[in-house]
Structures are given as structure tokens and as C-alpha cells.
Amino acid sequence: MKSTELNLIPIFVAIYEEQSLSRAANRLEITQPAVSKALARLRDIYNEPLFHRSSTGVEPTSFASDIYPAMSAALKNYTSTLSASREFDPKVSNRIFSLACVSVASYQLMPKVIKHVRDIAPNISLEIHPLFTEDYESDLRLQRYDLIVDMPPSSDSNLKYDSLYSERLMVVCSNAHPRIKDEITIDEFLAEEHVVVSRWHSRKSLLQKQHIAQLDKRAVVCRVAGAMEMLPVIKDSEYIGILPSSTIREFQDMYQVKELPLPFDNSKQHLCGIYHPSRASDSAHKWLRNQIQTVAKDFSTYL
């Protein structure tokens, strides 16, 4: 493909997503013969059929489905550089931002972010996804997500992040736990069976020994996706877990659980907004990060 034919990329993406030459033409505000000519040129370049006619328009071939993710990412990356070079006006923008969040942020911080954004920028939408990503750097670089809310990345990561807030981690157990009363020692903590929040892709606990050294000595009997999956298990068992204090307080009456101080010196969870360096100067992305930090600042006052 010659550099002068890079304009074929948005046409391919439009045809693939619309599955109709006429709808693709309307979307791109060009004529249908121009779309047909571009499609013919793409077939020549790849020497492969890309679409088959259907009763409603066209259907992509398996080859077209294979190349679509790369073409879509290329187009998205290019358009993001254009938006970065223009001033962003949140009052009139209809941008859709995509965020992936660790579970405690998705049901505590994000509802307040959504309300704040809707109050000041009513046409902007937020997509909030569970943190089902394995390769943060790739997903952020390809803009599958604009931002990830999680604990800080490792020191060898190239990703950037903004600190949002810190919260004290606590032991959580049933009110009726037969052995645990108002406090717990390290030996007692390690003698109990544990429910842990797990990272789905690696089957590793969200909190590991690099956060608190003794955690690798726990007897883990159940791994769950988040706090909302942990608390019902703890309610009806003698298992214990670790959750942020505000989460336990918010749901302790519903699930009849109580909190106790962790018997370790390092017992805080730090959350941050993680993003790719290529988005650092994007005016829209900077605005989004600023709004989340504004809400997080207020949010941290009652944690």
C-alpha cells in the first residue's frame, strides 16, 4: 500500500462496521461509487476478497475480520492525534470515554465521576468496564481503554499514572465468626482460611506479597472477582478476607460482617489512573484525568 492510499483505511473500517456500501458512503459523506472504487483497490492491494454481498448489504470475509482490529486501531490512533492538536470543549463534545476499573472503584468512585461529568458536560458519555485486561500497555496503546483505574503499575512499566486516593485495608469476617472478636494477630490471620479478590487472567490475588510480604502464606480457599462476590461468601462461612474499609462499612449491615485492623504495617491500598504516554498531551484525555482527580480528591475526604 502506497502512502497516498492510506485514505483507504477509514473506508475499509466504515464498510466493515456498517456492512453496507451505501451506509459507509453516508457515514463518510462521499459517493457510493467512490466507496466501491476504494474497495476494489483494497482487493487489489491484498489480493484477497474482503466482503461478500448479502441480502442486507455486505458481509466481511474471514480475512477482512482478521485485519479489521489493526485497521481500526490505526484509524483510532490517527484520529486521536488530530483531537490532541485541537482544543477540546467539553460543553459541546459528544466524546465517549472508555475506562476499565478495579471493582472497588467501579461501584464507589465511578458513580460519582459519572454524575460529575454529566453535570458539567452533558453530551459526554463514559463506558465503565470491569478490569478484564491482561496487557495494560497494549490495551491503552491501542485505545481499547482510555484509562485504567487500578493500583500503581510496576516500576518497570512505561505507562504513566496519576495518584487518585489511598484507603486503609481491613480484615473482614462474619459478625458470628467463632474465633475472631475485635482484633486479630498475624498468627491468627494466617491460621484462618481466606477468600481473595483475584485477577481474572492470571488467577493471582489482587493483593500479593509485593504489597504485604506475609500474604503469600495465606490459605486461600476461594478466589472471586470482587467485593460483591466476596461478601456473600464470608457472610455464611468462617472465611476471612481483605477489603477497603469504606467497602466494609457500606455493606456491613447487608452482609452482617465486621472489620478489624490488618495486623501488618503496610495496610493501605493506593488507586491511580493509568494511561499511555501517547495520551499525555491529548486535551480531551487531560480533561478526563482532571475530572477524575477532582472527584477522587473529594471522595478521599470521607474514606
Side-chain angles (χ1 to χ4, degrees):
M1 184 180 288
K2 300 175 182 178
S3 59
T4 54
E5 293 170 330
L6 293 177
N7 64 316
L8 299 177
I9 294 176
I11 297 177
F12 170 83
V13 171
I15 297 172
Y16 187 95
E17 293 178 350
E18 300 292 343
Q19 298 198 8
S20 164
L21 299 189
S22 60
R23 289 196 294 271
N26 289 336
R27 169 171 157 176
L28 297 169
E29 298 181 346
I30 60 177
T31 65
Q32 185 168 333
V35 172
S36 299
K37 183 177 179 181
L39 180 56
R41 178 61 188 139
L42 279 167
R43 283 196 299 264
D44 291 340
I45 291 170
Y46 285 109
N47 195 27
E48 289 277 357
L50 297 173
F51 298 93
H52 299 303
R53 293 193 179 277
S54 69
S55 58
T56 57
V58 294
E59 294 180 350
T61 64
S62 59
F63 179 78
S65 296
D66 288 342
I67 67 172
Y68 168 74
M71 298 283 256
S72 177
L75 178 60
K76 194 170 186 179
N77 286 337
Y78 171 65
T79 54
S80 72
T81 63
L82 294 179
S83 64
S85 67
R86 295 193 296 262
E87 280 300 317
F88 171 72
D89 186 351
K91 294 181 180 179
V92 298
S93 174
N94 58 0
R95 282 282 298 270
I96 300 174
F97 292 106
S98 178
L99 298 88
C101 300
V102 68
S103 63
V104 293
S106 66
Y107 64 79
Q108 289 187 313
L109 177 63
M110 284 302 115
K112 298 181 184 300
V113 171
I114 293 170
K115 183 181 185 305
H116 174 74
V117 168
R118 294 295 293 174
D119 286 344
I120 63 175
N123 296 321
I124 288 178
S125 300
L126 300 180
E127 294 178 348
I128 310 300
H129 302 273
L131 196 53
F132 285 172
T133 177
E134 182 172 2
D135 187 343
Y136 287 14
E137 187 156 351
S138 175
D139 285 341
L140 289 168
R141 176 171 50 81
L142 296 176
Q143 298 185 30
R144 296 188 181 102
Y145 304 115
D146 294 295
L147 193 77
I148 290 175
V149 178
D150 193 9
M151 292 183 290
S154 62
S155 58
D156 60 351
S157 172
N158 293 322
L159 297 173
K160 291 183 172 292
Y161 67 91
D162 298 328
S163 296
L164 296 178
Y165 65 87
S166 299
E167 183 174 5
R168 187 165 298 281
L169 294 168
M170 306 288 281
V171 175
V172 58
C173 68
S174 167
N175 285 337
H177 198 287
R179 291 175 297 280
I180 300 176
K181 303 308 178 186
D182 298 325
E183 59 183 12
I184 187 170
T185 66
I186 293 178
D187 290 341
E188 289 169 339
F189 177 87
L190 295 176
E192 297 295 335
E193 295 181 316
H194 292 250
V195 182
V196 302
V197 176
S198 178
R199 293 192 182 277
W200 76 276
H201 52 80
S202 62
R203 296 186 179 179
K204 293 181 180 178
S205 303
L206 187 66
L207 293 171
Q208 299 182 52
K209 63 181 180 180
Q210 63 262 35
H211 305 111
I212 301 174
Q214 293 93 330
L215 290 187
D216 63 338
K217 300 176 183 177
R218 287 178 297 180
V220 177
V221 296
C222 182
R223 299 183 186 277
V224 296
M228 292 299 91
E229 291 78 20
M230 177 189 287
L231 290 172
V233 176
I234 287 179
K235 173 181 181 291
D236 296 320
S237 72
E238 296 180 10
Y239 303 148
I240 67 174
I242 300 175
L243 287 176
S245 178
S246 67
T247 302
I248 301 171
R249 292 200 306 268
E250 186 169 345
F251 296 104
Q252 63 184 4
D253 292 337
M254 180 184 300
Y255 291 106
Q256 296 298 296
V257 295
K258 61 184 178 182
E259 65 175 4
L260 301 90
L262 264 175
F264 308 111
D265 293 334
N266 181 16
S267 60
K268 282 193 174 182
Q269 175 177 267
H270 307 281
L271 288 186
C272 61
I274 307 169
Y275 56 98
H276 195 269
S278 63
R279 312 298 299 280
S281 299
D282 183 323
S283 57
H285 200 274
K286 287 170 66 175
W287 177 87
L288 173 67
R289 301 197 306 267
N290 287 337
Q291 304 319 307
I292 295 175
Q293 285 187 297
T294 297
V295 174
K297 183 179 179 180
D298 294 337
F299 182 79
S300 63
T301 60
Y302 61 87
L303 293 180

